Amino acid sequence: MPRFAEVEVGTELPAQDFQIQRANLVRYAGASGDFNIIHWNERVAKSVGLPNVIAHGMLTMATAGRVVTDWVGDPGAVVSYGVRFSRPVVVEDDDKGATLTVSGTVEDKNDDGTVVVGLTATVGGEKVLMGAKAVVRLP
Amino acid sequence: MPLNRDFIGRTAPAGEPIEVTRNDIRRFATAIGDSNPAYHDREAAKALGYPDVIAPPTFLISASTGGGSGGFILDPELGLNYALVVHGEQQFAFHRPVQAGDVLETVTRIADIRDAGRNELLTLVIEVTSNGEPVATVTNTIVSRGTAAPKEA
């Protein structure tokens, strides 16, 4: 686990790539109870003007958050986590799906022993989250 | 049709309490592809100082958007057409992590409804407690596409 004293503004978290495929959307729908049809039915997704089935925004948020929790080790150290959804993540029906690339940087150190991590989450070079930040308490 | 602004400040009655089980947490963690032992292994969670396995930060989404807030959103008096809704923003602020054995209760308030160009933004603030103890505040902003009242020229 990173220690507060050793972390500096500008410290980079290990970046990760995540594959999001149709099977992941099905699994997330079941676990979260979000069965919105645009996350699994291509015909309906296209009929409401989407390019294809899209991932649950909350799955994107959860996946991006793993860069923070993998870094700190203890997920309970996350004091807050917030995002804005800027673009849908389109998931084609193939064996690749979408590749979500997530990186994080320490943007601030607070007097209370927490640090602010800014996250960047992109698919095909386009940002899918804006203002994604997590506040994490470090030992 | 614009949303009914009379709903700003209204609080929904608490829904049925939600019991969080180890299995719920394991299933959610598996669905997001996360093998962090704190979610899956009670001993690993205990080693971190928790009484039982803890949940990923975004686990609360299902507890916080079911029950009370769901009823709000479906109230015909509010005038929300769910087909026009997309998720705008999401925030979780924790007093402590959610853990297996929690019995979660939620109080949902419509904090704001405002125009953003041609869209409207509806912000729900959900206070989550377990046995009366604060757990988290969840803020959920949804976008109602194209429903803002036309502006005066």
Side-chain angles (χ1 to χ4, degrees):
Chain A
M1 191 171 191
R3 304 192 72 80
F4 185 79
E6 294 158 3
V7 169
E8 294 169 7
V9 172
T11 296
E12 292 187 6
L13 283 61
Q16 297 188 51
D17 282 343
F18 301 96
Q19 293 302 126
I20 299 180
Q21 297 177 269
R22 290 287 176 90
N24 300 108
L25 306 191
V26 174
R27 210 173 283 136
Y28 186 80
S32 68
D34 182 346
F35 293 101
N36 189 326
I37 194 166
I38 60 174
H39 302 309
W40 53 270
N41 187 314
E42 187 163 329
R43 174 176 51 83
V44 172
K46 287 179 172 170
S47 79
V48 296
L50 295 167
N52 210 320
V53 162
I54 63 169
H56 306 74
M58 288 307 303
L59 175 58
T60 305
M61 181 178 185
T63 305
R66 286 177 52 196
V67 164
V68 176
T69 53
D70 285 357
W71 180 61
V72 294
D74 173 6
V78 176
V79 176
S80 69
Y81 179 32
V83 306
R84 295 199 306 276
F85 300 99
S86 50
R87 289 178 80 86
V89 173
V90 178
V91 181
E92 300 289 341
D93 182 19
D94 57 23
D95 55 11
K96 292 205 309 286
T99 303
L100 178 70
T101 301
V102 184
S103 59
T105 307
V106 174
E107 293 183 345
D108 216 347
K109 289 182 76 172
N110 298 322
D111 294 340
D112 64 358
T114 60
V115 300
V116 180
V117 175
L119 290 171
T120 303
T122 59
V123 173
E126 304 264 21
K127 284 189 180 182
V128 296
L129 300 177
M130 299 290 278
K133 287 189 197 306
V135 177
V136 186
R137 186 173 307 284
L138 296 182
Chain B
M1 274 283 285
L3 300 175
N4 182 351
R5 305 282 164 116
D6 290 346
F7 274 72
I8 297 171
R10 283 198 199 172
T11 299
E16 188 80 3
I18 297 162
E19 293 175 42
V20 178
T21 68
R22 274 181 222 131
N23 198 43
D24 293 335
I25 291 174
R26 187 179 302 118
R27 195 168 53 152
F28 187 89
T30 302
I32 64 170
D34 198 332
S35 59
N36 193 311
Y39 307 143
H40 298 271
D41 176 357
R42 199 177 173 187
E43 295 309 315
K46 281 186 174 171
L48 292 170
Y50 304 110
D52 207 321
V53 292
I54 63 170
T58 63
F59 174 84
L60 270 181
I61 190 65
S62 45
S64 59
T65 55
S69 64
F72 244 154
I73 284 173
L74 298 175
D75 187 333
E77 292 290 312
L78 174 62
L80 185 69
N81 176 355
Y82 213 66
L84 301 178
V85 165
V86 293
H87 201 167
E89 300 181 26
Q90 184 68 41
Q91 165 96 31
F92 301 90
F94 294 99
H95 297 279
R96 64 158 175 82
V98 173
Q99 55 210 26
D102 275 342
V103 181
L104 301 176
E105 293 191 80
T106 59
V107 175
T108 302
R109 185 169 55 90
I110 295 189
D112 196 21
I113 303 173
R114 65 183 189 278
D115 288 356
R118 295 175 53 237
N119 302 329
E120 290 180 285
L121 302 180
L122 182 151
T123 301
L124 298 167
V125 175
I126 302 136
E127 298 293 347
V128 183
T129 56
S130 178
N131 296 311
E133 174 196 356
V135 174
T137 303
V138 181
T139 308
N140 178 358
T141 298
I142 61 175
V143 182
S144 175
R145 292 185 296 141
T147 60
K151 305 290 185 294
E152 298 289 331

